[in-house]
Amino acid sequence: MARTTKWWGAMKAASAYQHHYEVQKLHYKYGDFVRIGPNELSINNEEIVGVIMKCDKGPWYNLGLPGPGTQLTRNRETHKIRRRIWDRAFTDEAVLQYLPGVIVKSSELLSLLKVKGPVNITEFFNYYMWDSMGDIAFNKSFNMLPTHGKQDKYMRITLASQFGVAIFGHIPYMIRILDLIPFMNSEYKEFMKWCEDLVVERKQREPKTKDIFSCLLAAEDSNHGIGAVGMGSEARLAVIAGSDTTAATLANIFFYLGSNQEVQKKLRDEVDLLYSAYDGDEEKMCRDLTPNGCPGTQYLEGVIREGLRIYAVLPGSPQRIAPPEGLTIDGTYVPGGTAILISQYTTTRDPRYFEHPTKFIPERWFEPEKYPLTHKQKAFQPFWSGTYSCVGKPFAYMQLRIVTARMIRSFEVALAEGTNEEKLFKDARDMFVLYMGKIELLLTERNME
């Protein structure tokens, strides 16, 4: 059916929101090159990585019409102009300005996790990242942590809007049709209206500390002509890319730490040594962890990279278009104009590129003699590279390092009854961005005296 209509992908996505599993099954059955639409290929081969980075964006990005932001614009020149502006918000200096807020919010998270009984860590990481994202993007807290998500109306409509993205990403023209019909696609419309309201509200304030929109609004004079984008769409990018992806990665990391006590002990021993080296000066330690890590944290870095690998937060990948002359990937010719993407979930679990790919092994990232495949592979691209790489990578790594280190220092972690890998996979949802289901952990506060 996929060879005749893109509705195949839409129906598969809508059936259980686990399109990444469906595509993985197809790759197991048919090999590296699988047709998932009349003119679209999913490719599970690391040789595509260097090639696809140079290709133009595909029709999936038409989801951003009529007012696409930096992420969704298909115009290379527009993206180039806007990307320079976004880059200013994520320089090393800029990211360090966000650090005090990260320390305050992560302290609030740790305090709230000091409870008896199972904790749905997925929810708490979502609350934390939403509040943190609000601070660094709009200088505005969404108060998710202090209210335990009771003010999560916009978190709910954000998630609801992503259900539409999961389905209509396969048939993006349907978004435009539904926009013309009253009461249809209401969650997405409400979400975009909220994003636009965030921008209007932010313009009315001049906060004491800089945020992402300090950079974007300072460059508003260039938001015209070829450099024009929808500011509501820029807010959408900050909300989703700045919260959901990191929250899902943290949830994955702590699931695997809870399920593997040996790995957890190795990480805690390293973190305890790190705290000792800083003589309890946690603020300085966090500063040194930002943005490139610090000496003596190879296990922490291995845990984070493994969390990013074992369950890719973009299970598919950004869609691209083969140039008019076509492409040759590992001996296979792909005709010009073909839509192509990498099945990241499949590739990062491929035994050709990673030893024991379904196992959580932090050591694979710093023991090349024992794990040579991992150190030769090109498949691991959690933030991509080149023109369309993730601009927020420095901030994401800061969050992953600081939250992981502070939590493993504060708590012993175990899986609650009923939480297991089978449930983890069953409950995960591929909505372009990965959304994790309920992950219940038992957190025991450590006695640090």
Side-chain angles (χ1 to χ4, degrees):
M1 185 175 177
R3 73 170 59 190
T4 59
T5 176
K6 280 289 289 173
W7 280 92
W8 174 87
M11 289 187 292
K12 286 292 183 181
S15 63
Y17 296 97
Q18 295 189 324
H19 188 255
H20 57 307
Y21 293 150
E22 296 295 330
V23 172
Q24 184 186 47
K25 292 175 187 176
L26 292 174
H27 279 296
Y28 285 165
K29 185 175 181 178
Y30 296 111
D32 286 355
F33 296 80
V34 172
R35 175 180 272 179
I36 57 173
N39 191 38
E40 184 171 13
L41 293 176
S42 174
I43 301 174
N44 177 41
N45 188 301
E46 68 172 2
E47 294 304 320
I48 191 181
V49 171
V51 175
I52 201 172
M53 303 293 182
K54 303 172 185 176
C55 295
D56 288 332
K57 295 177 178 178
W60 181 89
Y61 288 84
N62 291 338
L63 285 171
L65 296 175
T70 302
Q71 179 200 22
L72 294 180
T73 181
R74 296 181 69 182
N75 187 299
R76 275 185 175 268
E77 189 59 29
T78 304
H79 181 274
K80 183 178 179 181
I81 293 169
R82 298 301 302 181
R83 175 58 188 254
R84 290 197 195 106
I85 299 168
W86 275 88
D87 283 341
R88 296 169 198 161
F90 291 100
T91 63
D92 288 354
E93 181 182 358
V95 171
L96 282 173
Q97 290 181 6
Y98 307 144
L99 177 61
V102 170
I103 292 174
V104 169
K105 290 297 180 186
S106 57
S107 295
E108 187 176 356
L109 171 67
L110 295 177
S111 177
L112 291 171
L113 291 175
K114 295 176 182 178
V115 297
K116 294 182 179 179
V119 170
N120 182 352
I121 203 65
T122 307
E123 282 189 345
F124 275 96
F125 283 144
N126 280 325
Y127 299 154
Y128 166 74
M129 284 307 306
W130 263 67
D131 282 353
S132 190
M133 173 274 299
D135 281 348
I136 74 123
F138 310 103
N139 252 286
K140 172 188 178 74
S141 177
F142 294 114
N143 294 315
M144 297 295 176
L145 279 172
T147 64
H148 287 245
K150 290 180 182 178
Q151 296 186 23
D152 69 346
K153 172 186 175 181
Y154 291 107
M155 182 185 288
R156 290 197 303 272
I157 67 167
T158 301
L159 179 59
S161 74
Q162 287 300 107
F163 282 105
V165 170
I167 298 170
F168 298 120
H170 298 277
I171 42 175
Y173 61 87
M174 283 300 300
I175 287 281
R176 306 281 68 80
I177 295 173
L178 293 176
D179 279 346
L180 300 174
I181 304 173
F183 310 113
M184 294 297 290
N185 203 24
S186 57
E187 293 90 352
Y188 186 79
K189 293 174 184 175
E190 187 177 6
F191 170 60
M192 288 307 301
K193 174 64 167 58
W194 174 63
C195 289
E196 290 163 4
D197 290 344
L198 282 174
V199 177
V200 171
E201 191 270 341
R202 174 59 182 81
K203 283 181 177 181
Q204 296 170 352
R205 292 184 289 112
E206 189 55 50
K208 294 180 181 179
T209 57
K210 287 187 177 182
D211 56 23
I212 292 173
F213 266 79
S214 297
C215 297
L216 300 185
L217 295 176
E220 235 185 340
D221 288 347
S222 66
N223 193 21
H224 60 83
I226 193 66
V229 295
M231 293 301 286
S233 294
E234 299 289 72
R236 173 191 178 277
L237 173 58
V239 168
I240 294 176
S243 60
D244 297 341
T245 52
T246 305
T249 301
L250 284 168
N252 282 327
I253 286 172
F254 277 87
F255 170 85
Y256 283 101
L257 290 175
S259 64
N260 192 322
Q261 296 299 310
E262 182 181 354
V263 168
Q264 184 180 154
K265 183 180 185 305
K266 289 179 181 179
L267 175 61
R268 181 174 293 111
D269 287 348
E270 181 180 89
V271 169
D272 284 347
L273 284 174
L274 184 65
Y275 271 79
S276 296
Y278 281 86
D279 198 24
D281 190 342
E282 193 170 41
E283 183 175 347
K284 186 175 187 305
M285 182 196 76
C286 290
R287 188 176 184 86
D288 288 350
L289 283 172
T290 307
N292 298 312
C294 56
T297 57
Q298 70 173 7
Y299 208 84
L300 174 62
E301 295 299 312
V303 164
I304 290 170
R305 288 170 73 85
E306 194 69 342
L308 289 165
R309 178 198 70 83
I310 200 164
Y311 219 141
V313 293
L314 295 181
S317 75
Q319 186 195 64
R320 298 291 182 258
I321 289 287
E325 67 273 18
L327 298 169
T328 299
I329 300 168
D330 202 15
T332 297
Y333 177 72
V334 177
T338 304
I340 54 177
L341 56 82
I342 304 172
S343 174
Q344 287 200 95
Y345 177 79
T346 305
T347 304
T348 56
R349 288 169 166 263
D350 193 319
R352 293 176 298 177
Y353 310 131
F354 299 96
E355 296 85 356
H356 312 295
T358 61
K359 294 184 178 180
F360 191 87
I361 308 173
E363 290 85 353
R364 73 170 76 244
W365 298 104
F366 54 85
E367 293 184 2
E369 299 83 6
K370 192 172 181 180
Y371 302 98
L373 290 179
T374 299
H375 286 262
K376 292 177 183 176
Q377 56 80 29
K378 298 174 282 188
F380 181 68
Q381 297 286 339
F383 296 96
W384 290 93
S385 61
T387 304
Y388 298 124
S389 63
C390 175
V391 68
K393 176 181 176 180
F395 181 69
Y397 265 118
M398 176 175 73
Q399 290 279 18
L400 293 170
R401 288 173 181 135
I402 289 174
V403 175
T404 302
R406 296 192 74 190
M407 276 195 61
I408 210 65
R409 169 75 168 175
S410 300
F411 300 104
E412 294 179 0
V413 183
L415 301 184
E417 186 177 355
T419 300
N420 52 55
E421 198 165 40
E422 180 182 358
K423 185 176 184 299
L424 179 81
F425 294 159
K426 181 180 178 182
D427 292 348
R429 296 292 178 263
D430 175 6
M431 294 184 282
F432 180 67
V433 173
L434 182 72
Y435 286 84
M436 305 308 299
K438 180 188 290 188
I439 298 174
E440 290 195 316
L441 300 180
L442 298 172
L443 302 176
T444 304
E445 189 174 0
R446 295 179 68 203
N447 185 352
M448 303 307 298
E449 295 181 1

